[in-house]
């Protein structure tokens, strides 16, 4: 499968993954682009057919971790600059969800997003994160428990509102 | 509901393989239905708030990744080994043909025979040099 075909199939998932991680569409665009450009450069050496999604998300994860390390060295870089880009379908719920995600430990947030946004199986998440399947299962469960608690607080109750709306 | 049972339901909601006795135990516990509903609500919340990239970004990146629109030296086209071997054979044949047609073009070969002199210089004793008696030489 060519990188172009991979792009058509998976760019949306990768973009959404980066948007959730960074909270900034412009950052998500930059990182999504970099994933596919790196994939293009490495495509000739890639041999593990059938594992392309995990491969792309592994590149994505490494990019994100590199970026986080650079940001720690240069704290003036800020993601929260306002973007003139598309807003969430449900802006308020999206904001609370992003805040709740931001409060999770890195490993739980990562596993949760790879599952929900990336659509990866536990085995593939384990391969991407260098973890065991059991560990991935626990991380996703803990993330869900924390998110449910955060979104079900009396002042928000977004989960109920979402389902009860007409 | 205990955490272990909730973790089983979480994996079950993701379509992951779960041991049947553990799943049965988790599903028959009080609160199992509510837990599953909450999990689906959370998934729905994530889906409802997903954002899409700008169409112009997608268009631009798609064009960048299109092999036909990239310069040939950046396409990373792999040359099949037989084609590469045939090309090398053609170059070699062309070189041999050129050598047979114009042997003078070939670089001179190394040999043990010294070249013939094109002039000879003679040095005369007493004029150009003098033999000294105390074994030291002076020119």
């Amino acid at each position: 499968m060519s990188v172009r075909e991979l792009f058509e199939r998976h760019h949306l998932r990768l973009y959404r993954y980066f948007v959730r991680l960074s909270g900034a569409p412009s950052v998500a665009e930059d990182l999504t682009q970099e994933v596919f450009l790196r994939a293009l450069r490495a495509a000739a050496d890639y041999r593990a057919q059938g594992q392309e999604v995990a491969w792309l998300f592994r590149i994505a994860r490494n990019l994100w971790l590199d970026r986080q390390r650079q940001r720690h060295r240069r704290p003036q870089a800020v993601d929260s600059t306002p973007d003139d880009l598309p807003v969430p379908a449900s802006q308020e719920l999206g904001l609370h969800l992003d805040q709740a995600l931001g409060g999770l430990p890195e490993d739980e947030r990562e596993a949760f997003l790879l599952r929900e946004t990336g659509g990866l199986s536990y085995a593939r998440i384990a391969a991407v994160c260098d973890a065991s399947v059991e560990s991935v299962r626990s991380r996703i469960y803990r993330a869900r428990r924390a998110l449910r608690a955060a979104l079900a607080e009396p002042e928000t109750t977004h989960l109920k509102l979402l389902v009860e709306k007409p | 509901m205990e955490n272990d049972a909730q973790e089983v339901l979480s994996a079950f909601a993701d379509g992951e393989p779960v041991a049947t006795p553990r799943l049965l135990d988790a599903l028959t516990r009080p609160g199992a239905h509510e837990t599953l509903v909450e999990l689906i609500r959370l998934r729905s919340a994530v889906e409802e708030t997903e954002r899409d990239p700008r169409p112009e970004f997608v268009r631009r990146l798609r064009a960048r990744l299109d092999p036909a629109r990239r310069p040939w030296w950046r396409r990373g086209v792999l040359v099949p080994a037989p084609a590469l071997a045939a090309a090398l054979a053609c170059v070699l044949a062309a070189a041999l043909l050129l050598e047979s047609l114009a042997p003078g073009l070939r670089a001179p070969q190394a040999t043990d025979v010294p070249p013939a002199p094109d002039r000879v210089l003679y040095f005369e004793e007493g004029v150009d040099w003098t033999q000294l008696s105390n074994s030291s030489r002076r020119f």
Side-chain angles (χ1 to χ4, degrees):
Chain A
M1 189 182 294
S2 71
V3 174
R4 173 69 189 273
E5 287 171 310
L6 289 176
F7 172 79
E8 296 301 340
R9 287 191 185 192
H10 305 301
H11 77 271
L12 203 55
R13 289 201 261 178
L14 282 157
Y15 174 82
R16 289 172 171 174
Y17 172 70
F18 283 131
V19 165
R20 292 287 187 197
L21 282 174
S22 69
S26 58
V27 173
E29 285 187 356
D30 287 347
L31 293 172
T32 304
Q33 174 173 291
E34 189 57 33
V35 167
F36 286 103
L37 293 180
R38 284 194 185 187
L40 195 63
R41 287 194 290 269
D45 299 326
Y46 183 70
R47 293 288 178 272
Q49 299 301 320
Q51 303 286 321
E52 289 90 352
V53 185
W55 177 54
L56 287 176
F57 272 99
R58 195 171 180 88
I59 296 173
R61 178 179 185 256
N62 289 338
L63 267 174
W64 176 252
L65 293 178
D66 286 347
R67 188 172 186 283
Q68 291 299 93
R69 277 192 283 270
Q70 285 169 6
R71 275 169 54 83
H72 284 136
R73 283 199 293 268
R74 290 179 297 148
Q76 71 274 15
V78 176
D79 275 349
S80 57
T81 48
D83 271 319
D84 223 7
L85 296 171
V87 293
S90 172
Q91 200 164 11
E92 196 186 352
L93 174 62
L95 185 66
H96 280 92
L97 187 57
D98 287 347
Q99 283 175 347
L101 277 167
L104 294 178
E106 184 72 31
D107 59 342
E108 292 178 16
R109 182 167 57 143
E110 181 178 70
F112 176 80
L113 289 178
L114 286 170
R115 171 61 221 152
E116 292 292 349
T117 303
L120 269 62
S121 68
Y122 287 10
R124 286 189 173 166
I125 296 171
V128 170
C129 299
D130 290 325
S132 67
V133 172
E134 290 72 25
S135 172
V136 167
R137 190 166 83 163
S138 293
R139 289 176 195 182
I140 291 173
Y141 162 65
R142 287 198 302 271
R144 283 179 171 148
R145 188 178 57 185
L147 291 173
R148 282 163 55 200
L151 295 177
E153 282 172 3
E155 64 270 25
T156 56
T157 61
H158 288 292
L159 288 183
K160 290 193 188 306
L161 285 172
L162 179 75
V163 177
E164 287 165 3
K165 73 181 182 184
Chain B
M1 194 172 189
E2 289 176 16
N3 287 346
D4 186 53
Q6 289 194 11
E7 189 175 317
V8 168
L9 293 180
S10 169
F12 175 64
D14 284 332
E16 292 291 325
V18 180
T20 308
R22 293 184 69 193
L23 179 60
L24 186 63
D25 175 61
L27 282 171
T28 51
R29 283 173 184 250
H33 176 257
E34 288 75 13
T35 299
L36 282 173
V37 169
E38 286 290 306
L39 290 172
I40 303 306
R41 277 181 178 165
L42 181 59
R43 178 162 297 161
S44 179
V46 173
E47 288 172 0
E48 285 270 328
T49 57
E50 291 288 20
R51 279 162 279 187
D52 290 346
R54 293 174 301 149
E56 56 265 37
F57 162 73
V58 176
R59 230 178 357 255
R60 197 179 66 236
L61 186 52
R62 183 179 287 133
R64 259 188 107 170
L65 297 172
D66 189 349
R69 297 184 63 170
R70 280 184 284 129
W72 64 268
W73 64 87
R74 292 177 63 187
R75 284 179 202 163
V77 177
L78 291 176
V79 180
L84 191 62
L88 286 173
C90 285
V91 169
L92 187 62
L96 290 172
L97 184 65
L98 190 65
E99 159 66 19
S100 65
L101 292 177
L105 289 177
R106 201 172 68 170
Q109 299 289 310
T111 174
D112 293 335
V113 182
D118 57 356
R119 60 179 178 150
V120 180
L121 299 178
Y122 294 98
F123 294 96
E124 193 176 339
E125 184 176 7
V127 178
D128 299 306
W129 60 279
T130 306
Q131 178 72 53
L132 299 179
S133 57
N134 60 357
S135 80
S136 64
R137 294 180 177 187
R138 184 179 302 160
F139 292 93

